[in-house]
Amino acid sequence: MEFAMISRRDTLKAALLGGGVAMLPVRLEAAPVAPFQPAGVRWIDGAAPALHAGQTFGVAWPRGLLKRSTALTVTARDGKPVPSQGWTTATWPDGSIKWSAHAIPANVVPDGLVVTRGRPIAPAKPVRVAEAADAVTISVCETRWEIGKTGAALIRQASVDGRAVLGPVTLVGASRTEPLHGADTAFESRIEKVTVEQRGPVRAVVKIEGAHMAGARRWLPFSVRLYAYAGSPGLRVVHSFVFDGNASQDFLSALGVRASVPLKGAELYDRHVRFATDGQMFAEGVRPLTGLRRDPGGAFKAAQVAGQAVPPLAQMAKPVRDTLERIPAWGEFRLEQPTANGWAITKRTAPAQGWIDADEGHRAPGLAYVGSPSGGAALGVRYFWQRHPTALHITGATGDAAQLTAWLWSPDAPAMDMRPYHGTMGMESFDAQNEGLSITYEDYEPGWDDASGIARTAELMLWAFPATPASDQLKALATMQATPPQLMAEPAHLHAAQVFGDWNLVDRSTPNRTAIENQLANLIDFYAGEVDRRAWYGFWNHGDVMHTYDSDRQRWRYDIGGFAWDNSELSPDLWLWTQVLRTGDARTWRFAEAMTRHTGEVDVYHLGRFKGMGTRHAVQHWGDSSKQPRVSNANYRRIFYYLTADERVGDLLRDLVTSDQTLTNVEIGRKVPSRAKQPVLPAGTIEMTFGTTWCPLAAAWLTEWERTGDVRWRDRIVAGLDSIGRLPHGWLTGSAPFDMKSGRFIDQGRGISVSHLNAVFGAVEVSSELIRLFDVPRYRAAWLDYCRWYNAPAGEWTAKFGTPSAGRNLREGHSRLTAYAAFQTKDATLATRAAAEFLSGDAGLGTWPGDPRHVVNGVLEWPGVSTNASAQWGLAAIQNLALVPEALDRATIVAPDTPGRRRGRDLGRD
């Protein structure tokens, strides 16, 4: 894809033709470009894995360093070339490469890699893609995958050396109209569109789009991406669907991926079933030859256990050979994971017979295999136990073809119940809704607690084998797919590229910096630990964390309105990913990745009247009636996208570029204020806050411009920047009418209106980026003014503006605004003030710098902890360390029990 080069002539032309909306220039000048430095790339776990299924990772480059046409290659640390495939995912305003993505084949496992200039080499056996009218074929080594373009089967078959080892692969499920006892209606996938997104030589990607069909009903739209890597016998499967049903009538009772495995011609004793567990591999034959009263012979037992063909029957002990038909053949197996803390395997001979208990344990990694010495297939599900109720079922193992199903929602579990958790409770009027908000922190409005439009993405692996693999191999594959290895560019290289706002590398060079770094690590350790201690798991819940702790009950406020699930409140996603940039830490990465998979899907509407909006924190992820871009926020997805080039997250980011259109039909602010208090807006405009609405939208527009070079999105950003800068009070205005056509804010002569929420949903980070990218002096001045005055002492505020300050809160978190102003203006006094604000604990975390892991016998002893305060503390710590480290060194860290310190009232209220 070609990217536009912007010149001064382009700028002048745009200004002349813009109908009065002058497009100000992007910053084409940059700091002097340093000599080219190759990018180091490391495994986030610190060492090369035993195996992996193929890797894709992103690398950032300083502005102006690499032309769009520059070829990049991958080598091992010793300079030996590694087969790779690369592409550009973002460019700087001058057209130079900002982000590149690179893929390497499966099981290439040097301790570290380097991305440098040069032509990439292809693998010895490259991935090849052939496209016909009705199918796409991917060939990897000896394996050939045939992908359908129509019908129900996403994969029609897989063959190895010309022999079919896998039959049709479809999406399956069921629903009922009553949650407990209703009759199930089955449905399956129907393909509507197939797109080949990459064709090799290292990686091929095919996107399949469609919907599920139940008779004539089309619903549950899906997208499935299939990833093939050179050297891998498997496909990575990324499965996304949108719930578009009626929560009161459509109760999903099953949802899964089913593969048919040919077994015709294989004797029952040569058919093998495998389940990976957290203990011994469950490895059995369909007709067992072990444990019998009569011994068939050691060679026969050893072969069956190993998954190999048994010797000729003539060599079997006659008493067994003559009575083989008397040995029960087990046709069905199932592994159920109904909770995060227990699984069970059962089996039966046939549907009309009873189930027999076979094994049980704690947390299964989520892999099953069925096949014979002539071939078979395995399915693995990432987050298997974390997203219960899941299951792996094998049926038809005594017939011509077995069915291997990975259930993302097990049919043996109660059906999904996505109905609102409470009724109207007399809150039909705004006054009553205000009362509800006051007591439970829930912004409720009847009919807005709607689950229709939310989504979920699952990650699976599908393998096609020419023979039954050894149990050790399957166990290794299960470990790999449950916790996939990941490559990441070195933090120092990313930092040198100056991407994603203001952050620093880990710095423990002074006592104060060490204390802050320790607390950053402690907080993440605490929250990652709380996920497990509090069992924040389940199909819809996994990846989110709770908002606020209830010190009286000694549990999080899971059932109290807006204090329950956090839904990205005050940017925990951004905090975690920024910490990943600094550290490359594996635990932080995986914590942040799970949160991204959740918050970008479950907390956001992907179709319907709320499309593009996210839902404020609530007891149910979709339950609050405040639907806002601050939750669907592109700022929370961008870092993961660029570090991984993940296509699904790329889709989510692209969906957001037109989400402002939803704002014309949906009042995203409080549903409860009096309509009489709302400002009168000119035709074609909507009311838009700068930080909670425009900045998240600007992040989406910025990402789309960087990815595609489409200048419409650049121009829309610049229009917003310039018009905010022209307001008499700039950013301190808080919000203004936004003209949907021009992208400009309209000056109505408003006074100052400050909200403590405006700068805590990515506005700090994206404003820093935009100021670097665009030459809009008015916006820079307006933002610096806001940063200087937001946390100013009350007396100074009143002297400056003539009125008492109002709406200011979260002083500790907003210290990063003061730090930004200090850094940009080289003001030592402001730097000292920023450090004091941050270390005060005022209206912030309130327990700093004590170790937050106050858990005794599994019980949290940390009164009043809130995730929003933690996230803002983390972001403030990172930005203060980056911008005013010397001021932090000079400051005194206040002990938690010092008299007079306060946490602030209504922390994070919104």
CSV table of all heavy atoms in Angstrom, one decimal, residues 6-8 10-12 14-15 21-27 714-715 717-719 721-723 726 744 773-779:
chain,number,residue,atom,x,y,z
A,6,ILE,N,3.5,14.4,2.2
A,6,ILE,CA,2.9,15.7,2.3
A,6,ILE,C,3.9,16.8,2.1
A,6,ILE,O,4.9,16.8,2.8
A,6,ILE,CB,2.2,15.8,3.7
A,6,ILE,CG1,1.4,14.5,4.0
A,6,ILE,CG2,1.3,17.0,3.8
A,6,ILE,CD1,0.3,14.2,3.0
A,7,SER,N,3.6,17.7,1.3
A,7,SER,CA,4.5,18.9,1.0
A,7,SER,C,3.8,20.2,1.4
A,7,SER,O,2.6,20.2,1.7
A,7,SER,CB,4.8,18.9,-0.5
A,7,SER,OG,3.7,19.3,-1.2
A,8,ARG,N,4.6,21.2,1.5
A,8,ARG,CA,4.0,22.5,1.8
A,8,ARG,C,3.0,22.9,0.7
A,8,ARG,O,2.0,23.6,1.0
A,8,ARG,CB,5.2,23.6,1.9
A,8,ARG,CG,6.1,23.3,3.0
A,8,ARG,CD,5.6,23.8,4.3
A,8,ARG,NE,6.5,23.5,5.4
A,8,ARG,CZ,6.3,23.8,6.7
A,8,ARG,NH1,5.2,24.3,7.0
A,8,ARG,NH2,7.2,23.5,7.6
A,10,ASP,N,1.0,20.9,-0.8
A,10,ASP,CA,-0.2,20.1,-0.5
A,10,ASP,C,-1.0,20.9,0.6
A,10,ASP,O,-2.2,21.0,0.6
A,10,ASP,CB,0.1,18.7,0.0
A,10,ASP,CG,0.7,17.8,-1.0
A,10,ASP,OD1,0.3,18.0,-2.2
A,10,ASP,OD2,1.6,17.0,-0.7
A,11,THR,N,-0.2,21.4,1.6
A,11,THR,CA,-0.8,22.1,2.7
A,11,THR,C,-1.5,23.4,2.2
A,11,THR,O,-2.7,23.6,2.6
A,11,THR,CB,0.3,22.5,3.7
A,11,THR,OG1,0.9,21.3,4.2
A,11,THR,CG2,-0.3,23.3,4.9
A,12,LEU,N,-0.9,24.1,1.4
A,12,LEU,CA,-1.5,25.4,0.9
A,12,LEU,C,-2.7,25.1,0.1
A,12,LEU,O,-3.8,25.7,0.2
A,12,LEU,CB,-0.5,26.1,0.0
A,12,LEU,CG,-1.0,27.4,-0.6
A,12,LEU,CD1,-1.4,28.4,0.5
A,12,LEU,CD2,0.1,28.1,-1.5
A,14,ALA,N,-4.7,22.5,0.3
A,14,ALA,CA,-5.8,22.0,1.2
A,14,ALA,C,-6.4,23.2,1.9
A,14,ALA,O,-7.6,23.3,2.1
A,14,ALA,CB,-5.2,21.1,2.3
A,15,ALA,N,-5.6,24.2,2.3
A,15,ALA,CA,-6.1,25.4,2.9
A,15,ALA,C,-7.0,26.2,1.9
A,15,ALA,O,-8.1,26.7,2.3
A,15,ALA,CB,-5.0,26.3,3.4
A,21,VAL,N,-11.8,25.6,6.1
A,21,VAL,CA,-11.2,24.7,7.2
A,21,VAL,C,-9.7,24.5,6.7
A,21,VAL,O,-9.4,23.6,6.0
A,21,VAL,CB,-11.9,23.4,7.3
A,21,VAL,CG1,-11.3,22.5,8.4
A,21,VAL,CG2,-13.4,23.6,7.6
A,22,ALA,N,-8.8,25.4,7.2
A,22,ALA,CA,-7.4,25.3,6.8
A,22,ALA,C,-6.8,24.1,7.4
A,22,ALA,O,-6.8,23.9,8.6
A,22,ALA,CB,-6.7,26.6,7.2
A,23,MET,N,-6.2,23.3,6.6
A,23,MET,CA,-5.4,22.1,7.1
A,23,MET,C,-4.0,22.5,7.4
A,23,MET,O,-3.3,22.9,6.5
A,23,MET,CB,-5.5,21.0,6.0
A,23,MET,CG,-5.0,19.6,6.5
A,23,MET,SD,-3.3,19.4,6.7
A,23,MET,CE,-2.8,19.4,4.9
A,24,LEU,N,-3.7,22.5,8.6
A,24,LEU,CA,-2.3,22.9,9.0
A,24,LEU,C,-1.3,21.8,8.8
A,24,LEU,O,-1.7,20.6,8.7
A,24,LEU,CB,-2.3,23.3,10.5
A,24,LEU,CG,-3.2,24.5,10.9
A,24,LEU,CD1,-3.2,24.7,12.4
A,24,LEU,CD2,-2.8,25.7,10.2
A,25,PRO,N,-0.1,22.1,8.6
A,25,PRO,CA,0.9,21.1,8.1
A,25,PRO,C,1.3,20.1,9.2
A,25,PRO,O,1.3,20.5,10.4
A,25,PRO,CB,2.1,21.9,7.7
A,25,PRO,CG,2.0,23.2,8.5
A,25,PRO,CD,0.5,23.4,8.7
A,26,VAL,N,1.5,18.9,8.8
A,26,VAL,CA,2.2,18.0,9.7
A,26,VAL,C,3.6,18.4,9.9
A,26,VAL,O,4.2,19.2,9.1
A,26,VAL,CB,2.1,16.5,9.2
A,26,VAL,CG1,0.7,16.1,9.1
A,26,VAL,CG2,2.8,16.5,7.8
A,27,ARG,N,4.2,17.9,11.0
A,27,ARG,CA,5.6,18.3,11.2
A,27,ARG,C,6.5,17.4,10.3
A,27,ARG,O,6.7,16.2,10.6
A,27,ARG,CB,6.0,18.0,12.7
A,27,ARG,CG,5.4,19.0,13.6
A,27,ARG,CD,5.9,18.9,15.0
A,27,ARG,NE,5.3,19.8,16.0
A,27,ARG,CZ,5.7,21.0,16.1
A,27,ARG,NH1,6.8,21.5,15.5
A,27,ARG,NH2,5.2,21.8,17.0
A,714,ARG,N,-5.9,12.3,8.7
A,714,ARG,CA,-5.0,13.4,9.1
A,714,ARG,C,-5.7,14.7,9.2
A,714,ARG,O,-5.6,15.5,10.1
A,714,ARG,CB,-3.8,13.4,8.1
A,714,ARG,CG,-2.9,14.6,8.3
A,714,ARG,CD,-2.1,14.9,7.0
A,714,ARG,NE,-3.0,15.4,6.0
A,714,ARG,CZ,-2.7,15.6,4.7
A,714,ARG,NH1,-1.5,15.3,4.3
A,714,ARG,NH2,-3.6,16.2,3.9
A,715,ASP,N,-6.5,15.0,8.1
A,715,ASP,CA,-7.1,16.3,8.1
A,715,ASP,C,-8.2,16.5,9.2
A,715,ASP,O,-8.3,17.6,9.8
A,715,ASP,CB,-7.8,16.5,6.7
A,715,ASP,CG,-6.8,16.6,5.6
A,715,ASP,OD1,-5.5,16.7,5.9
A,715,ASP,OD2,-7.2,16.6,4.4
A,717,ILE,N,-8.0,15.1,12.1
A,717,ILE,CA,-7.3,15.4,13.4
A,717,ILE,C,-6.8,16.8,13.5
A,717,ILE,O,-7.0,17.5,14.5
A,717,ILE,CB,-6.0,14.5,13.5
A,717,ILE,CG1,-6.4,13.0,13.6
A,717,ILE,CG2,-5.2,14.8,14.7
A,717,ILE,CD1,-5.3,12.0,13.4
A,718,VAL,N,-6.3,17.3,12.4
A,718,VAL,CA,-5.8,18.7,12.4
A,718,VAL,C,-6.9,19.7,12.6
A,718,VAL,O,-6.7,20.7,13.3
A,718,VAL,CB,-5.0,19.0,11.1
A,718,VAL,CG1,-4.7,20.5,11.0
A,718,VAL,CG2,-3.7,18.1,11.0
A,719,ALA,N,-8.0,19.4,12.0
A,719,ALA,CA,-9.2,20.3,12.2
A,719,ALA,C,-9.6,20.4,13.7
A,719,ALA,O,-9.8,21.5,14.2
A,719,ALA,CB,-10.4,19.8,11.4
A,721,LEU,N,-7.5,19.7,16.3
A,721,LEU,CA,-6.4,20.3,17.0
A,721,LEU,C,-6.5,21.9,16.9
A,721,LEU,O,-6.4,22.6,17.9
A,721,LEU,CB,-5.1,19.9,16.5
A,721,LEU,CG,-4.7,18.4,16.7
A,721,LEU,CD1,-3.4,18.1,15.9
A,721,LEU,CD2,-4.5,18.1,18.2
A,722,ASP,N,-6.7,22.3,15.7
A,722,ASP,CA,-6.7,23.8,15.5
A,722,ASP,C,-7.9,24.4,16.1
A,722,ASP,O,-7.7,25.5,16.7
A,722,ASP,CB,-6.7,24.0,13.9
A,722,ASP,CG,-6.7,25.5,13.6
A,722,ASP,OD1,-5.8,26.2,14.1
A,722,ASP,OD2,-7.6,26.0,12.9
A,723,SER,N,-9.0,23.8,16.0
A,723,SER,CA,-10.2,24.4,16.6
A,723,SER,C,-10.2,24.4,18.1
A,723,SER,O,-10.7,25.4,18.7
A,723,SER,CB,-11.5,23.8,16.0
A,723,SER,OG,-11.5,22.4,16.3
A,726,ARG,N,-8.1,27.3,19.1
A,726,ARG,CA,-8.7,28.7,18.9
A,726,ARG,C,-9.7,29.1,19.9
A,726,ARG,O,-10.2,30.2,19.9
A,726,ARG,CB,-9.3,28.7,17.5
A,726,ARG,CG,-8.3,28.7,16.3
A,726,ARG,CD,-8.9,28.7,15.0
A,726,ARG,NE,-7.9,28.6,13.9
A,726,ARG,CZ,-7.3,29.6,13.3
A,726,ARG,NH1,-7.7,30.9,13.7
A,726,ARG,NH2,-6.5,29.5,12.4
A,744,ARG,N,-14.4,20.2,13.2
A,744,ARG,CA,-14.0,21.3,14.0
A,744,ARG,C,-14.9,21.5,15.1
A,744,ARG,O,-16.1,21.3,15.0
A,744,ARG,CB,-13.9,22.6,13.1
A,744,ARG,CG,-12.9,22.5,12.0
A,744,ARG,CD,-12.8,23.8,11.3
A,744,ARG,NE,-12.2,24.9,12.1
A,744,ARG,CZ,-10.9,25.1,12.3
A,744,ARG,NH1,-10.0,24.3,11.8
A,744,ARG,NH2,-10.5,26.1,13.1
A,773,LEU,N,3.7,15.2,16.0
A,773,LEU,CA,3.4,14.9,14.6
A,773,LEU,C,2.9,16.1,13.8
A,773,LEU,O,3.2,16.2,12.6
A,773,LEU,CB,2.4,13.8,14.5
A,773,LEU,CG,2.9,12.4,14.9
A,773,LEU,CD1,1.7,11.4,15.0
A,773,LEU,CD2,4.0,11.8,14.0
A,774,PHE,N,2.2,17.0,14.5
A,774,PHE,CA,1.5,18.1,13.8
A,774,PHE,C,2.0,19.4,14.3
A,774,PHE,O,2.2,19.6,15.5
A,774,PHE,CB,0.0,18.0,14.0
A,774,PHE,CG,-0.6,16.7,13.4
A,774,PHE,CD1,-0.9,15.6,14.2
A,774,PHE,CD2,-1.0,16.7,12.1
A,774,PHE,CE1,-1.5,14.5,13.7
A,774,PHE,CE2,-1.5,15.5,11.5
A,774,PHE,CZ,-1.8,14.4,12.3
A,775,ASP,N,2.2,20.3,13.3
A,775,ASP,CA,2.6,21.7,13.6
A,775,ASP,C,1.4,22.6,13.9
A,775,ASP,O,1.0,23.3,13.0
A,775,ASP,CB,3.5,22.2,12.5
A,775,ASP,CG,4.1,23.5,12.8
A,775,ASP,OD1,4.1,23.9,14.0
A,775,ASP,OD2,4.6,24.2,11.9
A,776,VAL,N,0.8,22.5,15.0
A,776,VAL,CA,-0.4,23.3,15.4
A,776,VAL,C,0.0,24.0,16.7
A,776,VAL,O,-0.4,23.5,17.8
A,776,VAL,CB,-1.6,22.4,15.5
A,776,VAL,CG1,-2.9,23.2,15.7
A,776,VAL,CG2,-1.8,21.4,14.4
A,777,PRO,N,0.6,25.1,16.6
A,777,PRO,CA,1.1,25.9,17.8
A,777,PRO,C,-0.1,26.2,18.8
A,777,PRO,O,0.1,26.2,20.0
A,777,PRO,CB,1.7,27.1,17.2
A,777,PRO,CG,2.1,26.8,15.8
A,777,PRO,CD,1.1,25.8,15.3
A,778,ARG,N,-1.3,26.5,18.2
A,778,ARG,CA,-2.4,26.8,19.1
A,778,ARG,C,-2.8,25.7,20.0
A,778,ARG,O,-3.1,25.8,21.2
A,778,ARG,CB,-3.6,27.3,18.3
A,778,ARG,CG,-3.5,28.7,17.7
A,778,ARG,CD,-4.8,29.1,17.0
A,778,ARG,NE,-4.7,30.4,16.4
A,778,ARG,CZ,-4.4,30.6,15.2
A,778,ARG,NH1,-4.1,29.6,14.4
A,778,ARG,NH2,-4.3,31.9,14.7
A,779,TYR,N,-2.8,24.5,19.4
A,779,TYR,CA,-3.1,23.3,20.3
A,779,TYR,C,-2.0,23.0,21.3
A,779,TYR,O,-2.3,22.8,22.5
A,779,TYR,CB,-3.3,22.0,19.4
A,779,TYR,CG,-3.8,20.8,20.3
A,779,TYR,CD1,-5.1,20.7,20.6
A,779,TYR,CD2,-2.9,19.9,20.8
A,779,TYR,CE1,-5.6,19.6,21.3
A,779,TYR,CE2,-3.3,18.9,21.6
A,779,TYR,CZ,-4.6,18.7,21.8
A,779,TYR,OH,-5.1,17.7,22.6
